[in-house]
Amino acid sequence: MFQSPRRLCSALLQRDAPGLRRPPGPPPRRRSPPPAAGPRPASPRLLAAVSAAQGAARSSSRTVYPMGNGTSRLYSALAKTLNSSAAAQHPEYLVTPDTEHLEPIDPKELLEECRAVLHTRPPRFQRDFVDLRADGPSSHPPIRVMQWNILAQALGEGKDNFVQCPLEALKWEERKCLILEEILAYQPDILCLQEVDHYFDTFHPLLSRLGYQGTFFPKPWSPCLDVEHNNGPDGCALFFLQNRFKLVNSANIRLTAMTLKTNQVAIAQTLECRASRRQFCIAVTHLKARTGWERFRSAQGCDLLQNLQNITQGAKIPLIICGDFNAEPTEEVYKHFASSSLNLSSAYKLLSADGQSEPPYTTWKIRTSGECRHTLDYIWYSRQALSVRSALDLLTEEQIGPNRLPSFNYPSDHLSLVCDFSFNEESEGLLE
Ligand SMILES: NC(=O)C1=CN([C@@H]2O[C@H](COP(=O)(O)OP(=O)(O)OC[C@H]3O[C@@H](n4cnc5c(N)ncnc54)[C@H](OP(=O)(O)O)[C@@H]3O)[C@@H](O)[C@H]2O)C=CC1
Ligand SMILES: [Mg+2]
């Protein structure tokens, strides 16, 4: 049963992130004031925001970066990513930029830019964090982890057959901003993404400038490559905030199934918290999709668990695994994870009344075959070493609307999952 009374708290207010903290009051509406289309000169409103961010940067050690006269630089940062065909036309976009030479950008400013691009779209859905703490405050700030299958642009436009979603809602220039807006709203310390096919031209350059270190592992035979005007292969991406964590080691894993190499991948990294010096392992994966492939998924899951056994030195290092497992909780692969000797629990079960049930859906779309509502995405964690302090509630059926996802309001057919973790005190010293 659930151990503690749950408290709803605003997603934006709960976080200790001055740069993004919203003042009390109703959520801002998207449409005021409508900015001019395309790159604009720096406006007084934006310059005021720059000063505010600079003030916040001076008074806070959190991730708020000084901007200088960076409004125009910010425009160029976002504008550079606006043309989805840019990567194909200009191969230099495919080269990972040297982040040492990229100037930091202020998350608040980027959020403003995204909102300006999205001014004709309906407002963002409001989601709340549910407080799940059973004990008192912990001595270190929580580790916020976001799991999200962001929907590959090529698959969304060319393969997925979301019959109730107009192609206009999938336009990359705007959908990209919806994705960034979601990331900026919750400011995860760690970001685990699937179906990333705009890593080099969009997510790596922008997130690097927001202070993240990124790793990308494309699928060996990405179905995106079958789509005309694709932007390269899709794959898993893992980002973490460099001011919070130090990379200890990193492994790109091509998953096997019954010893055969498969088209699915994972990234596993051991990170050390700069504040507490504690180490943990974070992994991201995207297992084989579709019905008929349950045993294949199960084998891939076993391979991933075996790899993680080795990486965590037999569960000595606490572990968080994020993924689109393409498997309902009734599937074998889910059972392998739930009963593994790694002692894992699924974080989102804690949102249920009895703490034992997964959410009713993490993806909801309408294909030619009909409505597809499934629970496929999970955040697993070492239940002895870690606690879930809060989790972001899912969208309601009413918010998702009759045409389901993706939509003009929400950029992917999968919902983002976001959890705040802390180390359990009794496990302190485990790695010291
Ligand atoms: N060129 C070559 O020699 C080879 C090419 N390939 C290509 O790779 C593809 C298979 O790759 P694989 O990684 O196994 O793909 P998967 O079966 O895992 O699915 C790939 C993507 O399709 C999405 N998807 C799931 N269900 C459906 C559906 N009903 N309709 C449309 N899309 C769906 C999944 O999204 P989600 O996870 O969100 O459900 C997933 O991102 C082949 O179709 C082929 O194009 C593969 C091998 C060799
Ligand atoms: Mg998909």
Side-chain angles (χ1 to χ4, degrees):
M1 278 299 288
F2 209 73
Q3 301 116 334
S4 69
R6 296 185 293 168
R7 291 177 292 280
L8 285 177
C9 44
S10 156
L12 292 171
L13 290 176
Q14 194 203 24
R15 190 84 167 128
D16 180 23
L20 283 180
R21 190 173 285 171
R22 198 179 68 204
R29 306 295 297 177
R30 172 154 280 160
R31 291 194 197 84
S32 60
R40 311 157 293 177
S43 71
R45 187 175 65 84
L46 277 167
L47 289 173
V50 170
S51 326
Q54 284 172 326
R58 278 191 292 275
S59 62
S60 160
S61 60
R62 234 190 121 72
T63 321
V64 175
Y65 296 92
M67 285 289 293
N69 63 348
T71 308
S72 55
R73 282 200 306 277
L74 185 63
Y75 278 123
S76 60
L78 194 54
K80 245 188 192 175
T81 72
L82 281 179
N83 183 352
S84 63
S85 61
Q89 289 164 14
H90 305 284
E92 68 271 17
Y93 280 92
L94 295 173
V95 178
T96 306
D98 179 357
T99 53
E100 296 284 302
H101 300 109
L102 290 176
E103 281 193 62
I105 47 177
D106 177 357
K108 194 172 177 229
E109 284 291 304
L110 184 58
L111 193 55
E112 284 293 314
E113 294 306 318
C114 290
R115 286 181 177 154
V117 172
L118 296 168
H119 73 276
T120 57
R121 296 220 174 190
R124 243 182 115 249
F125 296 127
Q126 172 71 31
R127 293 168 71 184
D128 293 306
F129 276 90
V130 179
D131 196 331
L132 300 162
R133 267 176 297 188
D135 51 5
S138 128
S139 46
H140 293 288
I143 299 169
R144 178 164 290 181
V145 177
M146 177 185 265
Q147 146 60 32
W148 201 13
N149 177 332
I150 59 170
L151 173 61
Q153 186 62 19
L155 299 183
E157 286 182 324
K159 285 214 159 190
D160 264 301
N161 290 313
F162 300 130
V163 284
Q164 299 286 27
C165 175
L167 268 182
E168 204 196 332
L170 296 176
K171 278 196 322 205
W172 179 240
E173 292 76 9
E174 293 176 20
R175 201 173 75 82
K176 166 181 71 183
C177 288
L178 278 177
I179 296 170
L180 289 168
E181 198 183 32
E182 181 92 345
I183 295 168
L184 290 164
Y186 302 122
Q187 282 208 302
D189 300 307
I190 301 174
L191 190 49
C192 294
L193 304 177
Q194 299 82 29
E195 292 199 27
V196 178
D197 64 346
H198 276 273
Y199 180 83
F200 294 106
D201 66 340
T202 302
F203 293 107
H204 184 268
L206 283 176
L207 292 175
S208 296
R209 295 179 66 185
L210 290 166
Y212 290 92
Q213 182 168 330
T215 303
F216 176 57
F217 193 23
K219 293 169 80 164
W221 292 104
S222 163
C224 293
L225 300 176
D226 296 342
V227 178
E228 209 181 348
H229 306 305
N230 69 75
N231 199 63
D234 76 305
C236 291
L238 201 162
F239 293 91
F240 65 84
L241 277 180
Q242 281 180 294
N243 67 354
R244 287 217 60 190
F245 311 109
K246 192 170 79 182
L247 182 63
V248 176
N249 65 53
S250 182
N252 283 3
I253 302 161
R254 182 172 178 183
L255 296 174
T256 63
M258 295 148 286
T259 73
L260 293 173
K261 285 182 180 169
T262 74
N263 199 27
Q264 277 63 40
V265 299
I267 304 170
Q269 297 191 328
T270 305
L271 304 181
E272 183 176 299
C273 292
R274 290 188 190 275
S276 66
R277 309 273 320 272
R278 292 179 142 208
Q279 288 188 7
F280 64 100
C281 175
I282 176 85
V284 52
T285 195
H286 185 189
L287 301 187
K288 171 74 186 157
R290 299 164 209 268
T291 46
W293 292 86
E294 293 79 10
R295 293 188 66 188
F296 194 84
R297 271 192 288 279
S298 172
Q300 289 183 327
C302 289
D303 183 44
L304 180 57
L305 286 169
Q306 186 55 58
N307 273 280
L308 293 172
Q309 279 280 0
N310 298 337
I311 290 168
T312 61
Q313 301 161 20
K316 248 170 75 189
I317 303 176
L319 173 63
I320 300 171
I321 310 161
C322 294
D324 171 358
F325 280 63
N326 269 310
E328 289 276 6
T330 48
E331 266 195 48
E332 207 171 80
V333 63
Y334 181 96
K335 289 174 184 151
H336 286 318
F337 273 72
S339 61
S340 152
S341 59
L342 288 167
N343 288 321
L344 302 169
S345 279
S346 170
Y348 263 69
K349 283 205 310 188
L350 295 171
L351 285 183
S352 65
D354 62 359
Q356 300 299 315
S357 317
E358 291 290 349
Y361 48 83
T362 61
T363 180
W364 200 342
K365 55 226 165 196
I366 302 174
R367 289 202 161 110
T368 37
S369 53
E371 196 129 353
C372 310
R373 190 186 96 149
H374 298 291
T375 302
L376 306 178
D377 306 278
Y378 305 96
I379 301 180
W380 297 93
Y381 66 101
S382 300
R383 59 174 168 258
Q384 276 151 5
L386 297 164
S387 287
V388 186
R389 291 175 66 170
S390 62
L392 183 64
D393 220 346
L394 297 158
L395 291 176
T396 62
E397 175 169 6
E398 196 186 355
Q399 285 173 315
I400 288 174
N403 294 330
R404 310 314 183 197
L405 305 173
S407 67
F408 282 103
N409 312 60
Y410 200 79
S412 175
D413 55 325
H414 291 252
L415 296 175
S416 64
L417 309 183
V418 186
C419 289
D420 284 345
F421 288 99
S422 59
F423 287 98
N424 292 333
E425 297 304 319
E426 55 270 29
S427 72
E428 251 179 56
L430 205 64
L431 291 168
E432 290 165 4

